[in-house]
């Protein structure tokens, strides 16, 4: 973050952002693995819910504060503000966070897998962004991206020490929840990217107003995620993972009412409240089910794979949705054109969420009788 804030050129900024990604990759799976290893099964659902809710604080403050910084002190402060937070948190983690590790871990780094996976994602994303050109270079880039993805799977299957052991997908529950993750986080990535732009381009709001307008969803996450996680522990993951995406889909359909001249109270706020209810219902149970579907020693691996699936789905959605919705470069300069494309994009996002709900209902199993925890679903869950 410090390098981003001080970056003298775009190249340095991109390199520093990559370094930020490394930090995020170290942080998120590790924090969830600690929850899985440190909390009693009776408390894990609530703990994961609190983890999701407190994460929502950053998501809630980010758009509002970022919009103000971009229009006021400057974009560099978006990154520089992270530095004192890191200096505050790092000593606390070093002193008070208990260690947790997998005794079976070999400690070797899968360099080839770490290159092929991101390379595939980068090439496919670039091809989607440039697809409107329809040039031979774009087609070749897409083919190369698919080939790199196939090579990644082949390498991970053959290596004795892969970064993503494919046998983890022998857990039917783990595989099912990751399929749901791809659907719902793809839709979320597209929604939050385009919704802020819709408020600015089509409705003429400032960046600060657009960021503030989306706060209700993350405030609801903060207030109710812990209760949602505890409820999922009692009733099992199937109902929350089915109902949650359907509620989110309903919220995105309500966004069809948001266009030029729309009212915040009567048009935008109801959509955000329904969407927020779906997020509360869905996010904590999804995360706790991922962690509960594998052995505790592999919780960090499971969390890392699930987080990568969520981030990849969001990235692909941001690249593909403008193309699928017919949102060309000219749309960003026309309120009417952007509004039309935004509505098409919301229909697509709602459809993907309905697919996610169907996948959850068909593949995520309810808890066995007498069992109160997702861990019960590990046993006998080999596909």
């Amino acid at each position: 973050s410090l390098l981003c804030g001080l970056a003298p050129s775009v190249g340095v900024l991109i390199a520093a952002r990559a370094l930020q990604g490394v930090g995020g990759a170290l942080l998120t799976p590790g924090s969830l693995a600690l929850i899985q290893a440190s909390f009693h099964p009776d408390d894990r659902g609530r703990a994961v819910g609190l983890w999701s809710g407190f994460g929502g604080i950053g998501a809630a403050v980010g758009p509002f504060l970022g919009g103000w910084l971009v229009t006021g002190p400057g974009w560099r402060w978006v990154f520089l503000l992270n530095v004192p937070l890191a200096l505050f948190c790092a000593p606390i983690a070093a002193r008070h966070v208990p260690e947790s590790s997998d005794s079976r871990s070999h400690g070797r780094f899968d360099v080839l897998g770490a290159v092929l996976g991101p390379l595939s994602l980068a090439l496919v994303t670039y091809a989607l962004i440039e697809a409107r050109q329809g040039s031979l270079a774009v087609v070749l880039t897409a083919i190369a991206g698919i080939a790199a993805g196939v090579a990644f799977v082949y390498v991970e299957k053959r290596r004795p020490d892969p970064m993503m052991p494919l046998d983890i997908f022998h857990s039917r529950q783990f595989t099912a929840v990751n399929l749901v993750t791809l659907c719902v986080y793809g839709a979320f990535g597209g929604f939050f990217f385009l919704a802020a732009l819709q408020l600015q381009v089509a409705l003429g709001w400032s960046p600060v107003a657009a960021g503030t307008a989306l706060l209700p969803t993350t405030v609801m996450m903060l207030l109710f995620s812990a209760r949602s996680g505890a409820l999922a522990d009692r009733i099992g993951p199937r109902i929350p993972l089915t109902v949650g995406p359907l509620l989110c889909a309903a919220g995105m359909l309500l966004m069809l009412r948001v266009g030029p001249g729309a009212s915040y109270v009567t048009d935008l706020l109801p959509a955000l409240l329904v969407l927020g209810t779906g997020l509360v219902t869905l996010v904590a149970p999804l995360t706790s089910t991922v962690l509960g579907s594998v052995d505790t020693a592999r919780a960090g691996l499971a969390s890392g794979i699930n987080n990568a699936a969520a981030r990849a789905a969001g990235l692909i959605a941001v690249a593909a949705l403008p193309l699928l919705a017919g949102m060309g470069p000219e749309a960003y300069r026309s309120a009417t054109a952007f509004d039309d494309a935004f509505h098409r994009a919301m229909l697509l996002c709602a459809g993907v969420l309905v697919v996610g709900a169907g996948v959850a209902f068909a593949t995520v199993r309810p808890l066995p009788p007498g069992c109160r925890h997702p861990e019960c679903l590990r046993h006998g869950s080999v596909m």
Side-chain angles (χ1 to χ4, degrees):
S1 291
L2 180 61
L3 289 174
C4 288
L6 300 176
S9 66
V10 173
V12 174
L13 176 61
I14 293 173
R17 288 286 286 164
L19 188 60
Q20 276 191 314
V22 174
L26 290 168
L27 177 63
T28 303
S31 63
L32 284 169
L34 283 170
I35 289 177
Q36 189 72 0
S38 304
F39 282 80
H40 188 275
D42 288 342
D43 300 322
R44 285 178 190 161
R46 187 177 295 274
V48 170
L50 285 171
W51 179 91
S52 302
F54 282 118
I57 294 178
V61 174
F64 168 76
L65 190 59
W68 176 75
L69 290 172
V70 167
T71 57
W75 63 268
R76 294 181 184 275
W77 285 98
V78 173
F79 299 105
L80 295 176
L81 281 180
N82 291 335
V83 177
L85 295 176
L87 293 176
F88 174 76
C89 292
I92 295 176
R95 182 178 178 87
H96 298 290
V97 174
E99 188 53 272
S100 172
S101 62
D102 183 359
S103 60
R104 299 171 296 178
S105 177
H106 45 70
R108 294 183 293 273
F109 193 75
D110 179 9
V111 177
L112 186 56
V115 170
L116 287 173
L119 178 63
S120 173
L121 187 60
L123 291 174
V124 170
T125 302
Y126 178 82
L128 287 170
I129 293 173
E130 299 294 332
R132 286 183 174 275
Q133 296 183 7
S135 64
L136 178 61
V138 171
V139 174
L140 292 177
T141 300
I143 294 173
I146 295 172
V150 173
F152 171 75
V153 174
Y154 178 80
V155 167
E156 297 305 282
K157 185 177 181 179
R158 298 296 296 270
R159 285 183 69 91
D161 52 352
M163 73 174 190
M164 189 179 76
L166 298 184
D167 65 333
I168 196 173
F169 292 99
H170 289 172
S171 167
R172 176 181 177 180
Q173 192 78 345
F174 180 77
T175 302
V177 176
N178 276 284
L179 289 174
V180 176
T181 297
L182 288 172
C183 292
V184 299
Y185 278 93
F188 294 160
F191 170 79
F192 285 107
F193 170 66
L194 293 177
L197 290 174
Q198 169 74 350
L199 297 179
Q200 295 176 67
V201 177
L203 278 71
W205 294 7
S206 69
V208 176
T212 306
L214 299 176
L215 286 177
T217 55
T218 45
V219 171
M220 292 178 68
M221 286 283 293
L222 173 62
L223 295 177
F224 302 113
S225 286
R227 296 179 183 179
S228 174
L231 176 64
D233 272 355
R234 291 197 299 271
I235 67 174
R238 189 182 191 183
I239 293 176
L241 296 186
T242 301
V243 174
L246 292 177
L247 287 171
C248 290
M252 292 190 186
L253 291 178
L254 287 174
M255 288 295 296
L256 298 177
R257 302 170 57 189
V258 178
S263 165
Y264 180 80
V265 174
T266 61
D267 297 318
L268 180 59
L269 184 59
L272 294 176
L273 292 178
V274 174
L275 179 65
T277 303
L279 285 169
V280 168
T281 305
L282 166 69
V283 172
L286 187 149
T287 304
S288 60
T289 305
V290 166
L291 297 178
S293 61
V294 299
D295 294 332
T296 300
R298 304 186 92 179
L301 173 64
S303 172
I305 292 173
N306 185 252
N307 186 63
R311 302 288 80 77
L315 178 63
I316 293 295
V318 169
L321 259 182
L323 173 67
L324 296 174
M327 190 177 292
E330 69 285 349
Y332 296 88
R333 296 185 290 270
S334 168
T336 302
F338 192 92
D339 182 59
D340 291 341
F342 175 77
H343 289 169
R344 290 192 290 269
M346 290 302 97
L347 290 172
L348 291 170
C349 288
V352 171
L353 285 165
V354 171
V355 171
V359 170
F361 184 79
T363 60
V364 175
R365 292 182 298 162
L367 291 179
C371 175
R372 297 178 55 237
H373 306 292
E375 285 91 333
C376 297
L377 297 168
R378 283 207 304 265
H379 306 292
S381 63
V382 176
M383 298 180 72

